Amino acid sequence: MAGITGAEAEVFSRYTAQARALGSVNLAQGIPEGRLDDSLGQALLDSLGLGWQYVDPRGLERLRIAIASRVYAGAFRTEEVLITSGCTESVTIALQSLAGRWSEDRWGAKVAFLEPFYPYYPGFAELAGFEPVPIPMHDGPPALDLDAIERVFSNGVRILLLNTPHNPSGWVITSDEAHALRGLLERYGVFLILDDAYHGFVYSGADSAGAARLVESNERLLVAGSCSKLLSATGLRLGWLLGTASALKRAHALHMYLTYCQPGPLQGSAATLIEQRRPADETMLAAHYERKRDSLVAALRAAGMSCSSPRGSHFVVADYSRLAPRVAPEDFALEFARTVGVMSLPLTPFCAPGSAHRRLRFSFSVDQGTLDSAVDRMTEGAGRGL
Ligand SMILES: Cc1ncc(COP(=O)(O)O)c(C=O)c1O
């Protein structure tokens, strides 16, 4: 795969700028809907007393307790939580903490992840000195291809970086898939890094117990997650890495070299918000996103694209091949933004180089008004025959 150029990391801001230039509704970037109240601002004011000096590099104890007990329902202990500056840092240090572990291995160092993949994954792998190995998912309704996973494990992959709920496909691991995957991880001694950035964004009908079956504290597991989507606050830059003391040890050391600690008042306010979360709030938020998902899926289908309804995360992947079979995704995304007024993201940066596809990613995490206007534009466009 191509090395790190920065272009893959810029893709979100590039399409956002193009959406602005064309006056189209921006469904390209997956920024969550703004917070629905000012509870974060209030919690920050209440936390200012924590001051602006260094705090414990493991993170504020209150926040670590809140994450272990509330977000992961006691599956991890407070000592097994490291606070980071977001899932980006968590995945970076998780991978870097494993660098060198298999240097004597005849296979070389490889990290596998599902394709389509979050565009930063190949770069995360390469920064840590690993060869990235994408494993295509089954299409249609997306699903794990367990045979393909076993093939890469038996070819020397020692780390699986797994994202569920999945960006971009919306796949959510089922209990059966989790059970089978655990068997493979154990059989081949593969280390699992679970990217849980979309924790809780699981919609009705999906199996919400699958990820929990993977999140049992063991020596070959690190769980990366973040307040970005959980608290609808991507700018808070707070995340976590969870694992046993031995699994976390090197990541903790790297964290002290990289960012050392996150601001105390921000951690205090995140702790307050997580402590205040009630199961009913989580259900309400998921139901709110689910309604937005349904209206986006209906509008995309009315516009002539085909898509399955995602079971989790913030995105719909739509295939436009019936509309323009010969047009490249980059051209179609821009043309769709010009003529219909809705900007999406071509799926290309989520795929291995050279993959031939006719797919776009649309985000439904935008606020209701923005989504309604995208849906109206697509419905009107469909009426005009696009
Ligand atoms: C799958 C995935 N992992 C990690 C991240 C990074 O999250 P953070 O904002 O916590 O750094 C994102 C952000 O969109 C994501 O989609």
Side-chain angles (χ1 to χ4, degrees):
M1 297 184 77
I4 301 164
T5 64
E8 63 288 343
E10 251 173 33
V11 62
F12 303 105
S13 48
R14 201 150 29 88
Y15 277 85
T16 291
Q18 267 164 337
R20 202 170 299 127
L22 292 171
S24 54
V25 180
N26 183 13
L27 301 191
Q29 195 165 14
I31 292 181
E33 179 166 0
R35 295 194 50 78
L36 303 174
D37 57 39
D38 70 350
S39 53
L40 179 55
Q42 189 53 53
L44 179 60
L45 290 178
D46 296 342
S47 301
L48 288 178
L50 289 165
W52 297 104
Q53 305 305 336
Y54 296 131
V55 293
D56 185 338
R58 290 171 302 172
L60 223 59
E61 191 177 25
R62 234 185 92 208
L63 180 56
R64 290 186 290 125
I65 291 174
I67 290 166
S69 61
R70 304 262 178 158
V71 183
Y72 291 93
F76 290 89
R77 291 175 297 130
T78 309
E79 310 79 73
E80 295 177 323
V81 182
L82 175 68
I83 302 300
T84 64
S85 70
C87 205
T88 304
E89 184 194 339
S90 302
V91 176
T92 300
I93 59 175
L95 280 168
Q96 294 194 358
S97 74
L98 297 172
R101 194 187 259 229
W102 294 279
S103 54
E104 302 304 313
D105 199 306
R106 70 194 169 96
W107 298 107
K110 296 178 188 167
V111 53
F113 40 77
L114 302 178
E115 181 186 359
F117 47 79
Y118 180 53
Y120 278 58
Y121 278 8
F124 283 149
E126 287 182 18
L127 270 176
F130 292 108
E131 181 190 332
V133 179
I135 312 174
M137 302 184 78
H138 282 309
D139 260 354
L144 281 189
D145 182 343
L146 289 158
D147 292 336
I149 293 178
E150 178 151 21
R151 259 193 314 277
V152 302
F153 285 3
S154 60
N155 273 318
V157 160
R158 292 287 173 262
I159 305 170
L160 177 66
L161 171 56
L162 183 77
N163 169 224
T164 175
H166 187 243
N167 175 10
S169 76
W171 164 79
V172 175
I173 195 165
T174 64
S175 294
D176 286 349
E177 286 176 320
H179 179 73
L181 183 62
R182 272 194 80 137
L184 291 177
L185 291 165
E186 277 158 27
R187 187 166 334 140
Y188 291 93
V190 171
F191 198 105
L192 176 64
I193 301 173
L194 188 68
D195 178 341
D196 197 19
Y198 295 90
H199 185 97
F201 288 94
V202 173
Y203 309 121
S204 51
D207 179 349
S208 54
R213 300 192 74 160
L214 294 173
V215 176
E216 260 162 38
S217 190
N218 80 52
E219 293 301 324
R220 283 198 301 260
L221 169 72
L222 285 169
V223 179
S226 150
C227 294
S228 289
K229 316 286 154 93
L230 187 85
L231 300 181
S232 302
T234 52
L236 202 54
R237 306 313 302 137
L238 285 176
W240 55 79
L241 191 63
L242 315 176
T244 60
S246 76
L248 261 188
K249 191 165 183 260
R250 198 165 153 72
H252 179 213
L254 287 164
H255 164 72
M256 288 197 287
Y257 279 92
L258 201 60
T259 58
Y260 189 73
C261 70
Q262 280 46 68
L266 297 187
Q267 294 193 55
S269 56
T272 304
L273 258 63
I274 293 174
E275 287 160 4
Q276 284 171 352
R277 273 162 62 92
R278 300 279 164 263
D281 301 333
E282 287 161 37
T283 315
M284 215 168 64
L285 189 65
H288 177 63
Y289 270 67
E290 187 168 330
R291 281 193 295 277
K292 293 198 294 184
R293 171 200 69 176
D294 290 345
S295 66
L296 178 59
V297 165
L300 288 167
R301 287 180 181 159
M305 301 200 205
S306 56
C307 55
S308 56
S309 185
R311 306 205 155 216
S313 82
H314 291 173
F315 313 100
V316 179
V317 171
D319 186 311
Y320 64 86
S321 48
R322 261 185 299 159
L323 296 172
R326 276 183 285 280
V327 181
E330 290 69 18
D331 297 333
F332 189 83
L334 287 183
E335 195 49 27
F336 195 72
R338 268 188 214 104
T339 52
V340 179
V342 177
M343 182 62 87
S344 56
L345 209 56
L347 210 67
T348 314
F350 297 79
C351 301
S355 107
H357 70 88
R358 294 291 178 257
R359 291 184 292 171
L360 305 171
R361 189 195 80 164
F362 293 81
S363 168
F364 54 88
S365 62
V366 291
D367 64 67
Q368 190 69 56
T370 308
L371 188 70
D372 287 346
S373 115
V375 165
D376 288 348
R377 288 176 184 209
M378 286 196 270
T379 314
E380 262 169 46
R384 291 198 310 269
L386 287 177

